[in-house]
Amino acid sequence: MTDMIYREAVRADLPAVIALLADDVLGKARDFTEVDEAYERAFAAIDADPRNQLIVAEQNGELVGCLQITYIPGLGRHGSERSLIESVRVRSDRRGQGLGRDLMTWAIDQARERGCALVQLTTDKTREDAHRFYLGLGFVASHEGMKLAL
């Protein structure tokens, strides 16, 4: 097995990334499997923003995972930047092999190298396996998150 490559996504990766997002219990209800104008706009905005990175995990020429990292400047924590990780996915046929742990460890290392004071994420309350996964990485359920769908 070849080593994993973590890199910023390019436009050609968009169909595979969208497939990863939809290949999920919750994603099936809120994401599509075809690239449309909304996905094109979102990718272009992420790609143009130096504080956003859409990262893909590639192994043997195949995309097997992805996540998005947003670096947020703030005054709290003595003006420290924080890293927000979202849309973490591993291809369904590759789950349970440690790829998610490796991908998250890589993302955490990127935040550390950048000088971020913390890494934060949200996870749906119904994702009990994800909760265990993030706790195993050292995350703490220290806050109650809230969202307002618009």
Side-chain angles (χ1 to χ4, degrees):
M1 181 158 53
T2 312
D3 287 325
M4 191 72 62
I5 297 170
Y6 303 109
R7 61 174 175 79
E8 286 197 58
V10 296
R11 168 54 188 86
D13 296 323
L14 193 52
V17 170
I18 289 168
L20 285 169
L21 296 175
D23 183 22
D24 174 83
V25 172
L26 296 177
K28 287 179 193 326
R30 60 185 180 206
D31 285 303
F32 303 111
T33 56
E34 292 185 28
V35 176
D36 64 9
E37 187 178 320
Y39 285 126
E40 293 282 3
R41 276 193 316 269
F43 179 83
I46 293 165
D47 194 45
D49 184 345
R51 292 194 172 279
N52 270 287
Q53 294 180 310
L54 180 59
I55 302 298
V56 294
E58 181 180 324
Q59 191 170 45
N60 299 326
E62 295 182 38
L63 263 79
V64 295
C66 67
L67 57 76
Q68 182 176 342
I69 306 171
T70 303
Y71 297 104
I72 306 168
L75 294 175
R77 296 180 184 264
H78 197 232
S80 294
E81 193 172 54
R82 63 186 64 205
S83 172
L84 172 66
I85 300 177
E86 297 185 316
S87 301
V88 179
R89 297 291 192 283
V90 170
R91 206 170 69 191
S92 60
D93 66 332
R94 300 299 301 276
R95 292 181 191 145
Q97 300 174 25
L99 300 177
R101 174 174 290 282
D102 291 346
L103 178 59
M104 283 296 296
T105 299
W106 180 89
I108 293 164
D109 288 344
Q110 297 302 299
R112 187 176 287 115
E113 288 175 21
R114 188 174 168 115
C116 292
L118 64 92
V119 175
Q120 63 189 34
L121 56 80
T122 60
T123 180
D124 192 278
K125 287 187 176 193
T126 63
R127 293 182 186 268
E128 293 179 9
D129 289 341
H131 301 167
R132 283 189 293 279
F133 171 72
Y134 293 124
L135 289 169
L137 287 168
F139 284 85
V140 177
S142 61
H143 291 69
E144 183 73 20
M146 297 185 185
K147 296 191 178 202
L148 175 65
L150 302 177

